[in-house]
Amino acid sequence: MKIVIIGGGPAGMMAAYFASRSGKAQVTLLEKNEKLGKKLFITGKGRCNLCNDSDREEIFEHIVHNSRFLYSAYDFLSKDDLMALFEKWGVPLKTERGNRVFPQSDKSSDIIRALERALRKNGVEIRLNTKVQEVDLAEKTVRTSQGAEAFDLCCIATGGFTYPATGSTGDGYAFAEETGHRLVAPVPALVGLRCHHVAREELMGLSLKNILLKARDKKSKWKKEVFGELLFTHYGISGPTALTLSSYINRREVRLSLDLKPALSEGQLEERILREIQRAPNRENGYLISLMEPGSLVAPILELAGLEQHQKLHQMTKAQRRRLIEVMKNFPLEYQGLFERETGIVTSGGVHVKDVNPSTMASRRAPQLYFAGEVLDLDGETGGYNLQIAFSTGALAGKSMEERLV
């Protein structure tokens, strides 16, 4: 009995490992690149944040789309199971800020080599430089650049369409549609946000810490807020808050704004402003703002608040003060869409989860097919959650295929 797995990334490699554990199924892993784990190699800036060591409930709070679909896969291969597996394979791990788990060596290559050793030990046939061109369900054959490959069961684990230089070019979406599956339109996630804002050129390169990036859906009462760091760029905003928020708004029409003083309520901010006015009533408006914000933000805030830079502080009216507070708590950003898909860390969208059985990762439309990893409409925030998705869904798909055949 033969199992063919398309894609040598984290989901595909883990699927191949679990499908081959009993040694009773012939498992072939097809990878179009010259080596396995090409995208995995660059994750976490080359350090490979393979999972997150938070508790189960908190982990699922960081799964952005279709978290319930992941329950069975995660329960089969949890973060504890995953960490124990790599430790068993000789890869010591460490946990850093935000419960992010990395190999102690800080080398993603150690993770990839451990997986490859496990596959070869189990007798998995690894075929590199083999691009899949078609999945023929009628003939139960995968047609590749190196010829045809027959299968009894096949798992599509081809990843998304971000980082195309690593081979993630959306091939699996075509295979899914050609075999009768529905797709949720793929879009980049964990990606920068295109925005227009006051003094965009002047603010380029400015990094802000401890701010609150806020989104409001134009059509509903939905809202999302992310606290942390932000970077102004030529095209808009990037940095941790923008990347995280992008995964939540990439299917919405939203309004964006910044709370530049999230630690203070409007009343507390007004008290702060009044204290500064009382302390130096003859200083100017620009001086007041420079006490609270970086210099490059002074002019934009003054402009948005309708204040003259050289007006004396004691001349500020109550209405002007209220307008200043409004700007600092809701600095406007005109959202214009996402950065190019090539810059996204992961893909959001993909094979509709209603077409896949979450208990097995088997297709509900084509019983010979299974899906795993980023090709599914399943994604999370940064911090190891997306690799957990890949490893867990791959493991469950592999185990389900092995059990079905054996």
Side-chain angles (χ1 to χ4, degrees):
M1 303 293 282
K2 183 156 188 183
I3 294 172
V4 170
I5 296 165
I6 307 172
M13 286 189 281
M14 199 61 85
Y17 172 73
F18 276 88
S20 62
R21 284 188 305 171
S22 70
K24 296 180 179 179
Q26 181 185 351
V27 181
T28 300
L29 179 61
L30 306 177
E31 168 56 48
K32 70 179 181 181
N33 287 314
E34 73 286 357
K35 60 183 179 181
L36 297 175
K38 199 164 183 178
K39 184 178 178 183
L40 186 59
F41 182 74
I42 64 173
T43 60
K45 297 180 180 178
R47 299 173 61 217
C48 192
N49 177 197
L50 76 156
C51 64
N52 191 285
D53 196 19
S54 299
D55 60 37
R56 185 181 189 276
E57 182 177 339
E58 185 174 350
I59 285 172
F60 278 93
E61 288 176 357
H62 292 274
I63 305 301
V64 179
H65 294 107
N66 299 311
S67 60
R68 294 180 63 184
F69 179 85
L70 186 63
Y71 288 171
S72 294
Y74 182 81
D75 289 343
F76 176 67
L77 187 76
S78 68
K79 52 96 177 179
D80 293 320
D81 300 325
L82 182 62
M83 292 165 68
L85 193 57
F86 278 103
E87 294 273 4
K88 185 183 79 171
W89 287 340
V91 183
L93 304 174
K94 62 180 177 179
T95 302
E96 297 186 356
R97 182 175 58 89
N99 291 326
R100 298 171 186 237
V101 178
F102 296 88
Q104 284 186 13
S105 64
D106 285 329
K107 294 179 179 178
S108 57
S109 55
D110 287 353
I111 298 294
I112 298 167
R113 278 198 294 266
L115 281 162
E116 188 168 358
R117 284 195 302 268
L119 296 182
R120 296 194 185 281
K121 184 178 179 180
N122 283 5
V124 174
E125 182 181 3
I126 299 171
R127 295 193 181 176
L128 303 175
N129 298 303
T130 304
K131 179 176 173 57
V132 173
Q133 298 161 335
E134 182 187 11
V135 178
D136 189 331
L137 293 181
E139 297 293 329
K140 296 178 76 172
T141 299
V142 174
R143 294 188 173 84
T144 80
S145 57
Q146 305 299 321
E149 195 74 39
F151 64 82
D152 294 292
L153 298 176
C154 176
C155 178
I156 297 175
T158 49
F161 66 7
T162 57
Y163 285 106
T166 65
S168 297
T169 51
D171 299 354
Y173 304 140
F175 303 149
E177 283 193 306
E178 289 164 3
T179 51
H181 297 82
R182 292 172 292 174
L183 286 185
V184 174
V187 290
L190 301 178
V191 65
L193 303 176
R194 289 184 175 276
C195 298
H196 179 74
H197 48 79
V198 174
R200 187 164 69 178
E201 296 294 329
E202 290 80 356
L203 293 179
M204 185 173 62
L206 174 65
S207 179
L208 298 176
K209 295 183 178 181
N210 303 320
I211 55 87
L212 193 67
L213 179 58
K214 304 186 290 186
R216 301 287 186 276
D217 194 309
K218 294 180 180 180
K219 297 180 180 179
S220 70
K221 295 181 179 180
W222 178 91
K223 64 180 181 179
K224 179 68 179 178
E225 299 177 345
V226 183
F227 177 82
E229 299 180 21
L230 177 140
L231 174 68
F232 285 96
T233 74
H234 180 73
Y235 299 105
I237 55 174
S238 188
T241 55
L243 297 186
T244 296
L245 189 67
S246 71
S247 294
Y248 290 91
I249 67 173
N250 54 16
R251 308 180 193 186
R252 295 179 179 272
E253 294 181 12
V254 297
R255 291 188 176 92
L256 297 183
S257 63
L258 283 176
D259 184 342
L260 298 170
K261 290 293 181 187
L264 301 178
S265 67
E266 290 191 4
Q268 291 170 328
L269 181 56
E270 185 168 26
E271 290 175 4
R272 166 81 190 277
I273 291 171
L274 287 171
R275 283 198 305 270
E276 298 298 341
I277 292 175
Q278 291 169 359
R279 186 176 293 123
N282 291 317
R283 298 301 293 263
E284 299 174 347
N285 288 333
Y287 167 79
L288 170 67
I289 297 171
S290 70
L291 294 175
M292 298 184 286
E293 298 298 337
S296 55
L297 272 175
V298 171
I301 290 174
L302 287 170
E303 180 179 341
L304 289 166
L307 291 171
E308 292 293 332
Q309 180 171 350
H310 300 297
Q311 177 189 355
K312 302 296 183 182
L313 291 181
H314 70 83
Q315 296 175 322
M316 186 184 294
T317 66
K318 182 177 181 179
Q320 288 176 324
R321 192 168 65 244
R322 295 304 305 165
R323 177 59 184 159
L324 175 59
I325 292 167
E326 170 65 21
V327 169
M328 295 186 70
K329 298 292 286 183
N330 295 280
F331 187 90
L333 301 169
E334 183 184 337
Y335 177 55
Q336 297 177 325
L338 306 169
F339 281 13
E340 292 81 1
R341 76 182 197 187
E342 291 82 3
T343 65
I345 295 174
V346 297
T347 305
S348 176
V351 177
H352 202 304
V353 294
K354 289 187 177 180
D355 285 353
V356 180
N357 184 340
S359 299
T360 61
M361 296 294 125
S363 165
R364 297 185 189 275
R365 293 176 176 253
Q368 308 100 316
L369 276 185
Y370 289 72
F371 293 94
E374 200 175 341
V375 73
L376 292 162
D377 180 24
L378 186 61
D379 64 284
E381 297 181 14
T382 57
Y385 305 104
N386 289 291
L387 278 182
Q388 181 74 63
I389 289 170
F391 286 130
S392 293
T393 56
L396 182 56
K399 170 245 191 186
S400 302
M401 290 188 291
E402 181 194 46
E403 287 184 347
R404 182 169 164 186
L405 291 183
V406 173

